[in-house]
Amino acid sequence: MKRYLLLEDGTTYEGTGYGYEGETNGEIVFTTSMSGYLETITDPSYAGEILIFAFPEIANYPLNLEHMESSKVQVAGIITKDAHAIFSGGESGTGFNEFLKQNMVPAIDGIDTRSLVEKIRESGAIKGYIRNKNEFPDKFEDTMDLDLVSRVSIKKYKYYNSGHKKEILFIDVGTKNSLIKRLSETASLHIVPYNYDFFNIKFHYDAIFIPNGPGNPDHSSLEPLRAFIREKSSSMPVMGVCLGNQLIALSMGGKTEKMKYGHRGINHAVLIGNRVYITSHNHGYAVNGDSLKGTCMEICGTDINDGTVEMIKHRELPVFSVQFHPEAYPGPYDSTWFFNDIKTTLGEKI
Ligand SMILES: NC(=O)CC[C@H](N)C(=O)O
């Protein structure tokens, strides 16, 4: 079945449709990961985004549903060069095509993803539609302006007792399962929605953690959360990953900005101190380094290729966060020391 990718700049790409038969729209972004396709498409940070796999062969190994990073596929759509879409097998017995149908996510294959990625590298992330007809919509919606966190955040408080005495207030702005798993190796978790009644919390907790999540970190719906981080950071450890890192920077008087086309992939080199770590990335926004001047936060890690701020910490207090993904999934384990830092911050032995 023919399907079309329609871009805001007037370009049309024709391909073969697979997955769900409806249409979709979003910001078109690309990942350079060669593996971990299931972990990637189920990461809630991708809400509102149509994902191009820059690596040509995708879904060429079976789905193992245990590797899902949330309960469903979160990308708005998928663009591939050569997806092994009907490949079935593995524990689930479900092929990629069938899985995307069940998850109501449209995909398009046979696209010249190399030229598309080059276009985005030149002009920046672009809005687009995947449609069954070659007909441009009246308007290209800016999905990054939407309150995406409300779509993916947990709806009700949940206690995750991992047998550890220390307790973390884990604010779910769109977490990946692997982050919950990694943190639960250090503490029990009070997992709360992003819009929880933060100033009336009755239970005890020793630290706050804010994970990854979709959309613009400066969105107005996140202001009560930023105010809470601002207030609590003077009295207890606050740590974060990706969206969490951006929210901490904003809370402390810094600014964030939209990147030209973001970082999405699993081999981004980050310099921290005098060491380079190969890290997993998925971000379209970044902390503006200059905006931290005169604040209590300092930059302690940057991306080697473009200087993007990748780690910040408080000059005096135990408040620190990373833009990259130390939990990997998918990605290399170079930066798992981040979880040891959390452990020692909580007074636990490594
Ligand atoms: N993975 C994330 O947490 C992404 C954070 C934010 N939505 C961004 O794109 O930069």
Side-chain angles (χ1 to χ4, degrees):
M1 183 184 97
K2 275 191 183 159
R3 202 168 272 177
Y4 302 89
L5 171 66
L6 308 166
L7 303 182
E8 199 189 7
D9 68 357
T11 322
T12 304
Y13 285 79
E14 187 183 303
T16 306
Y18 66 105
Y20 184 57
E21 282 178 21
E23 67 173 37
T24 188
N25 69 304
E27 183 165 301
I28 317 274
V29 299
F30 64 88
T31 178
T32 54
S33 290
M34 294 189 289
S35 59
Y37 71 98
L38 180 60
E39 293 89 324
T40 302
I41 64 174
T42 53
D43 174 349
S45 316
Y46 279 110
E49 295 174 341
I50 295 178
L51 184 64
I52 307 165
F53 280 97
F55 188 70
E57 296 220 357
I58 291 300
N60 50 4
Y61 59 88
L63 286 166
N64 179 348
L65 301 185
E66 278 174 24
H67 292 173
M68 286 175 72
E69 281 292 348
S70 67
S71 58
K72 60 172 190 163
V73 178
Q74 304 280 1
V75 291
I78 295 175
I79 301 168
T80 45
K81 170 79 178 87
D82 187 8
H84 295 241
I86 28 211
F87 183 78
S88 70
E91 310 277 298
S92 68
T94 309
F96 192 45
N97 183 31
E98 191 52 39
F99 181 66
L100 293 181
K101 273 191 210 296
Q102 287 163 7
N103 278 268
M104 300 178 78
V105 173
I108 182 168
D109 193 51
I111 298 295
D112 179 359
T113 46
R114 183 183 290 242
S115 82
L116 191 52
V117 168
E118 277 177 357
K119 177 197 264 297
I120 290 174
R121 283 180 59 121
E122 284 301 313
S123 57
I126 193 165
K127 297 177 203 117
Y129 269 79
I130 294 178
R131 283 192 139 175
N132 295 329
K133 50 182 187 235
N134 187 1
E135 223 171 78
F136 273 74
D138 297 336
K139 187 174 155 272
F140 283 85
E141 182 188 27
D142 188 352
T143 49
M144 291 301 109
D145 270 353
L146 301 172
D147 180 5
L148 295 169
V149 170
S150 69
R151 294 191 192 172
V152 294
S153 177
I154 195 174
K155 297 289 174 274
K156 267 172 61 192
Y157 167 93
K158 193 162 96 186
Y159 190 63
Y160 187 135
N161 184 350
S162 59
H164 289 276
K165 275 222 198 77
K166 294 287 178 181
E167 294 179 307
I168 291 179
L169 179 69
F170 184 100
I171 304 171
D172 179 11
V173 288
T175 190
K176 290 167 69 183
N177 287 339
S178 52
L179 259 176
I180 294 185
K181 196 159 158 257
R182 285 313 304 257
L183 281 180
S184 69
E185 289 163 10
T186 294
S188 292
L189 309 177
H190 295 278
I191 306 175
V192 298
Y194 81 108
N195 56 355
Y196 202 57
D197 188 3
F198 292 115
F199 290 99
N200 282 312
I201 293 181
K202 301 282 188 290
F203 51 80
H204 167 83
Y205 53 96
D206 303 285
I208 297 174
F209 185 89
I210 312 113
N212 61 290
N216 184 350
D218 208 12
H219 197 277
S220 56
S221 65
L222 301 171
E223 182 44 30
L225 171 53
R226 290 190 292 262
F228 177 65
I229 300 171
R230 200 171 301 135
E231 165 151 331
K232 282 290 176 180
S233 56
S234 57
S235 58
M236 67 167 52
V238 181
M239 284 86 61
V241 163
C242 213
L243 181 61
N245 170 67
Q246 298 162 352
L247 289 169
I248 291 173
L250 288 168
S251 308
M252 303 297 176
K255 288 196 168 34
T256 51
E257 59 201 6
K258 193 162 163 63
M259 300 164 79
K260 190 172 175 191
Y261 49 83
H263 293 174
R264 295 173 185 85
I266 57 177
N267 59 352
H268 284 259
V270 168
L271 180 70
I272 298 171
N274 58 1
R275 279 198 66 169
V276 170
Y277 299 88
I278 304 301
T279 60
S280 177
H281 286 210
N282 169 19
H283 61 109
Y285 292 83
V287 174
N288 176 303
D290 287 339
S291 74
L292 295 180
K293 287 183 190 143
T295 72
C296 53
M297 302 301 287
E298 62 185 359
I299 301 170
C300 46
T302 48
D303 186 285
I304 284 216
N305 294 319
D306 62 7
T308 303
V309 176
E310 291 293 337
M311 179 171 189
I312 57 173
K313 71 174 172 55
H314 197 288
R315 296 177 206 273
E316 287 154 23
L317 299 170
V319 175
F320 57 95
S321 52
V322 290
Q323 186 61 62
F324 56 87
H325 287 268
E327 79 286 0
Y329 274 87
Y333 296 135
D334 277 32
S335 49
T336 49
W337 48 260
F338 177 75
F339 297 102
N340 288 341
D341 285 2
I342 293 181
K343 218 172 206 171
T344 49
T345 300
L346 288 174
E348 300 282 291
K349 284 209 186 77
I350 298 171

